[in-house]
Amino acid sequence: DKSISDFRRMANGNLLFMDTTGASEINMLGNVVQSWHPRRRDETAGGFSAPVNTDLFHHEIYETLSGNFLVLTTELRHLPSYPASETDFGAPLADADVIGDAVVEFNRYGTILGWWSLLDLLDPYRIGFDSLSGFWNGEYAEASGGTKDWSHANAVIEDPADDSVIVSIRHQDALAKIDRKTGKLIWILGNPDGWNLPWNRYLLSPEGDFQWPYHQHAPRFTPNGTILLFDNGNHRRRPFDQRPDDNYSRAVEYAVDAKRMTVSQVWSFGGPNDEDFFSDALGDASWLPITGNVLITDGARVSSGVPANRWARIVEVTHTKPAEK
């Protein structure tokens, strides 16, 4: 009854994976080496499992160069006068139980070494499409009126070059970079609409031929120091923008100049001028180290327009312009 949300090869050759109850390291014979579980929601786990003082884990687990782990967890906060519509700017505001994500770093013993709350770092009143959905209702029964899935972070990686972490925030259509030591924002990569002071000071300015990502997944660094990710492309607009949806997905590579606070688009595959496909959820784009090609997981395609009938595709493309399958 467990579903796996993430797995990856560790530095020691073992496999690291996350499921609905926690995370585990297994060797290539399938033996469990160690496990970790969120203490606040699961007091019963035992055996090899080390408790981590969080509500839950979700989406991904990342092994750092120092051998620690980065995960995503959630927090519930009651916020007054919260937006109640993604389409009607004048809709009456109402109190809301808002779920925000936090990035957590812990060691092999489950000891928390770092905690960075997105509700503290970003504007909790800036909503995106799906920010008002009740995705976490089943996890927070104490929110009798339901929850709002404000951020829906789905990935976190480290940047050893400046001791920072980068988190992908799906419902904000943005990546945010956070200084590990100070806990402060370094930059925000995403559509600038709706970011007020002081957050707009951290926005990266686009250069050249450029498209923002929307509802993205799986950022990671390439050997060139650029950021490769899967841009799901949901809506390709912001709430209250009256333009029609323009849904298409792509793999895309960005180069960030943190000193100049700029971002440029280096490469992409997918879209109306390339191969037009759309995966409204899931997705991955991985650099293949031997060939320099890009492996794309198009994870939630819809067959014949029926949302319940989903399928996935894995495609390898060259890192050229245009890319070749």
Side-chain angles (χ1 to χ4, degrees):
D1 61 345
K2 298 180 182 180
S3 59
I4 294 176
S5 62
D6 181 41
F7 78 94
R8 60 191 70 206
R9 179 63 64 82
M10 299 178 66
N12 63 10
N14 289 341
L15 294 178
L16 179 68
F17 73 90
M18 180 180 288
D19 60 27
T20 52
T21 59
S24 295
E25 175 187 353
I26 61 173
N27 62 26
M28 298 307 291
L29 297 176
N31 299 312
V32 176
V33 177
Q34 189 169 352
S35 294
W36 303 268
H37 67 275
R39 169 180 281 164
R40 296 180 196 169
R41 298 276 159 175
D42 188 359
E43 296 284 358
T44 61
F48 288 103
S49 189
V52 182
N53 196 25
T54 65
D55 279 9
L56 48 83
F57 302 159
H58 66 85
H59 280 88
E60 292 190 358
I61 182 167
Y62 179 95
E63 183 187 21
T64 69
L65 286 179
S66 60
N68 298 323
F69 303 98
L70 293 170
V71 295
L72 296 163
T73 191
T74 51
E75 301 176 287
L76 170 65
R77 296 190 191 176
H78 187 79
L79 298 181
S81 302
Y82 204 72
S85 174
E86 299 169 356
T87 57
D88 180 4
F89 186 77
L93 304 179
D95 291 0
D97 286 318
V98 177
I99 302 298
D101 294 288
V103 176
V104 179
E105 182 171 6
F106 64 89
N107 63 19
R108 278 197 161 271
Y109 306 103
T111 303
I112 291 178
L113 307 174
W115 183 294
W116 302 278
S117 171
L118 297 187
L119 283 167
D120 293 332
L121 285 165
L122 303 177
D123 182 1
Y125 285 87
R126 181 190 189 265
I127 64 167
F129 283 111
D130 304 314
S131 284
L132 304 181
S133 64
F135 183 85
W136 297 111
N137 287 356
E139 295 289 341
Y140 290 91
E142 61 267 37
S144 58
T147 61
K148 309 298 183 186
D149 189 12
W150 164 68
S151 53
H152 200 99
N154 55 27
V156 59
I157 60 175
E158 71 172 341
D159 185 353
D162 60 1
D163 197 21
S164 65
V165 296
I166 297 173
V167 57
S168 168
I169 314 166
R170 176 175 165 89
H171 290 175
Q172 295 293 315
D173 300 319
L175 304 182
K177 188 171 190 177
I178 305 165
D179 187 294
R180 252 198 186 109
K181 292 181 180 177
T182 66
K184 295 181 178 180
L185 274 176
I186 298 175
W187 50 246
I188 299 170
L189 191 166
N191 186 321
D193 296 346
W195 291 108
N196 300 315
L197 284 170
W199 301 280
N200 56 12
R201 298 171 181 166
Y202 300 96
L203 293 170
L204 296 174
S205 299
E207 292 188 326
D209 185 15
F210 191 89
Q211 295 179 59
W212 295 114
Y214 290 86
H215 276 42
Q216 71 289 325
H217 281 81
R220 65 193 68 211
F221 284 104
T222 73
N224 302 321
T226 54
I227 298 173
L228 183 67
L229 58 83
F230 187 88
D231 174 13
N232 292 80
N234 300 43
H235 306 287
R236 293 202 177 275
R237 61 187 179 98
R238 289 274 304 142
F240 317 121
D241 183 337
Q242 299 304 311
R243 293 176 301 165
D245 285 350
D246 188 16
N247 298 315
Y248 59 86
S249 301
R250 62 195 183 126
V252 62
E253 180 184 2
Y254 295 112
V256 173
D257 186 330
K259 291 183 179 179
R260 298 175 56 237
M261 289 295 284
T262 60
V263 58
S264 58
Q265 184 174 300
V266 177
W267 174 89
S268 69
F269 172 79
N273 299 322
D274 200 341
E275 178 179 315
D276 202 350
F277 62 94
F278 179 49
S279 182
D280 66 343
L282 308 176
D284 186 85
S286 297
W287 183 277
L288 299 180
I290 296 176
T291 61
N293 294 338
V294 179
L295 193 68
I296 302 168
T297 304
D298 185 17
R301 299 284 287 274
V302 178
S303 296
S304 304
V306 181
N309 188 13
R310 293 193 182 276
W311 55 282
R313 175 187 68 161
I314 299 174
V315 59
E316 181 177 350
V317 302
T318 59
H319 188 254
T320 57
K321 298 180 182 180
E324 298 179 9
K325 288 195 289 186

